[in-house]
Amino acid sequence: MSYCADLPANPAIRRILVLKWSAMGDVIIATALFEDIARAFPDREIHLNTLPAWQELFARDSRFQHVFAVDLRDRRRTIPNVIEWLRQVRAQRYDLAIDLQCNDRSRLLLGLLGFGGRSIPFRLGNRRQFPYNIAPAELPSPVHSITRGRAELRAGGIPATTPRPVLHVPDHHRARARDLLARHGLMAGRYAILLPGCNANGHLKRWGADRYSALAHQIHHQGLDHVVLVGGPDEIEECQRIAQTCGPWLINLCGQTAILDIPPLCEPARFIVANDTGTAHLAAATTVPMLVLCGPTDPRRVKPLGDNVTTLQADLPCVNCYRKDCSHHTCMAMLTPPRVWRQLHGIDAGLT
């Protein structure tokens, strides 16, 4: 088996299924691959299968003619949800499945389709194993998910060149962002955005409220009119701690934005500083310079896409540990506010 094909040139491929179920950051990264797929198959019907939490992100995305979600992570309904997924996929009679998830669950489900006589003829994955019949050679580790995804697409003859996430932001989200900018007097190039949180289960990825507060003071002292905090429900307390130590020049928008409000809020910013968080991947859909602070997670694997994104990590033997608990958190403590400020000079020559 060659495991390679020129899929876009095959006229028998009319209906395509794309699978991506991951956490938000991984799904946002995959939007660059979605763009590559849409460009390679401009006259075909493309369906996206994602998690219920992300269905709204793509509800008005013109790249997909159909977006559906089955909660395959709900352990209380594993068997009914698997049956429902198989029912929906079999009914569509897909010609090609592009599995951007490629875990045990997606491999199992694609394999089960064959037992009902409705196997998808072309099955593109990132490993040369059942059920895939198109896949790249194994890549060395560690590897960023975009590198693995691009290799997968290229094995199917799909050019993979999109440099950053591509999100189709509906007009009403852009209008909400403009309203927030106007309400708080945020002028293009005169404010910085900080993304100081992350999922509560990954608290070691947080740089810390005290350090972000010190950095916010430095940013304002050096001449920017405002510093803006953005985040989700898990990050409200962290942002409140930062806001309590700052003046009215700090605008705390944490918990006040929908997911698709965030890219247009970031577009006019001077620069962005973030933890390794899903919100950073949303911000990477813009071209704004961004500095991402990494400690327990490997920047070679988690860096948001785009040549406008820089990562900073301490030089320690224990970095990239991916631990959930740590007694010292030295990897983040060594990234002092003055060190981060110096790094910002490297991405924004206009800072004084």
Side-chain angles (χ1 to χ4, degrees):
M1 182 181 292
S2 70
Y3 279 104
C4 294
D6 187 357
L7 296 171
N10 190 334
I13 296 174
R14 304 303 307 169
R15 183 171 290 178
I16 300 165
L17 171 64
V18 179
L19 290 83
K20 190 61 182 177
W21 308 327
S22 304
M24 183 174 72
D26 289 331
V27 171
I28 299 301
I29 288 171
T31 64
L33 304 175
F34 297 168
E35 188 72 7
D36 293 327
I37 294 166
R39 290 177 179 176
F41 298 96
D43 55 348
R44 324 294 173 89
E45 186 175 341
I46 305 174
H47 295 187
L48 174 65
N49 174 216
T50 189
L51 291 177
W54 317 132
Q55 193 169 7
E56 184 61 27
L57 282 176
F58 305 102
R60 295 169 181 83
D61 193 322
S62 60
R63 292 173 292 191
F64 303 110
Q65 287 67 56
H66 179 52
V67 179
F68 70 100
V70 178
D71 193 354
L72 295 165
R73 294 187 175 186
D74 185 352
R75 295 184 179 181
R76 298 167 300 177
R77 290 184 50 82
T78 298
I79 293 177
N81 287 348
V82 165
I83 293 171
E84 175 61 17
W85 187 92
L86 292 170
R87 184 193 67 79
Q88 290 197 38
V89 172
R90 283 171 177 157
Q92 294 292 341
R93 297 181 178 271
Y94 293 109
D95 306 302
L96 165 64
I98 302 176
D99 184 1
L100 298 177
Q101 193 63 28
C102 296
N103 60 14
D104 291 341
R105 187 180 287 114
S106 65
R107 289 194 296 272
L108 173 63
L109 289 175
L110 288 173
L112 285 173
L113 288 171
F115 290 100
R118 294 283 179 85
S119 179
I120 298 173
F122 298 98
R123 302 175 300 279
L124 176 58
N126 63 25
R127 297 174 183 170
R128 293 184 173 182
Q129 64 184 68
F130 180 82
Y132 310 120
N133 51 18
I134 305 167
E138 186 64 29
L139 296 173
S141 294
V143 62
H144 197 286
S145 64
I146 194 64
T147 303
R148 195 177 297 279
R150 285 170 175 163
E152 176 180 340
L153 295 192
R154 288 167 183 153
I158 302 169
T161 58
T162 302
R164 60 175 42 84
V166 178
L167 291 165
H168 291 205
V169 180
D171 289 343
H172 69 276
H173 286 285
R174 293 194 176 278
R176 281 167 52 91
R178 287 194 299 269
D179 179 67
L180 284 169
L181 293 172
R183 190 188 316 164
H184 295 286
L186 299 172
M187 300 177 62
R190 299 300 304 163
Y191 66 95
I193 285 185
L194 306 183
L195 308 176
C198 68
N199 185 287
N201 292 328
H203 67 278
L204 289 183
K205 296 191 293 182
R206 296 184 177 185
W207 190 38
D210 291 343
R211 299 184 188 103
Y212 268 111
S213 174
L215 181 65
H217 279 275
Q218 181 75 26
I219 292 169
H220 181 61
H221 178 72
Q222 294 298 331
L224 287 195
D225 298 338
H226 294 97
V227 176
V228 180
L229 306 181
V230 176
D234 284 349
E235 300 148 11
I236 289 175
E237 183 177 345
E238 187 86 346
C239 289
Q240 286 175 341
R241 288 180 58 200
I242 298 168
Q244 287 168 359
T245 66
C246 299
W249 46 266
L250 185 132
I251 309 299
N252 184 7
L253 297 182
C254 185
Q256 300 180 42
T257 58
I259 291 176
L260 286 177
D261 296 344
I262 293 173
L265 275 175
C266 291
E267 284 170 358
R270 179 74 169 268
F271 57 80
I272 301 164
V273 182
N275 299 331
D276 169 21
T277 174
T279 316
H281 294 281
L282 277 170
T286 74
T287 59
V288 178
M290 178 162 56
L291 176 63
V292 177
L293 310 177
C294 295
T297 55
D298 190 341
R300 293 170 296 180
R301 295 174 56 187
V302 304
K303 177 181 176 290
L305 299 188
D307 56 8
N308 56 309
V309 182
T310 303
T311 59
L312 180 63
Q313 187 179 47
D315 184 11
L316 289 169
C318 61
V319 293
N320 309 333
C321 67
Y322 285 84
R323 291 171 61 97
K324 298 298 183 184
D325 293 291
C326 176
S327 62
H328 52 86
H329 211 202
T330 306
C331 60
M332 285 305 196
M334 286 185 65
L335 302 181
T336 63
R339 182 175 177 181
V340 172
W341 179 251
R342 290 194 298 271
Q343 189 73 19
L344 284 172
H345 278 269
I347 67 174
D348 189 333
L351 292 175
T352 59

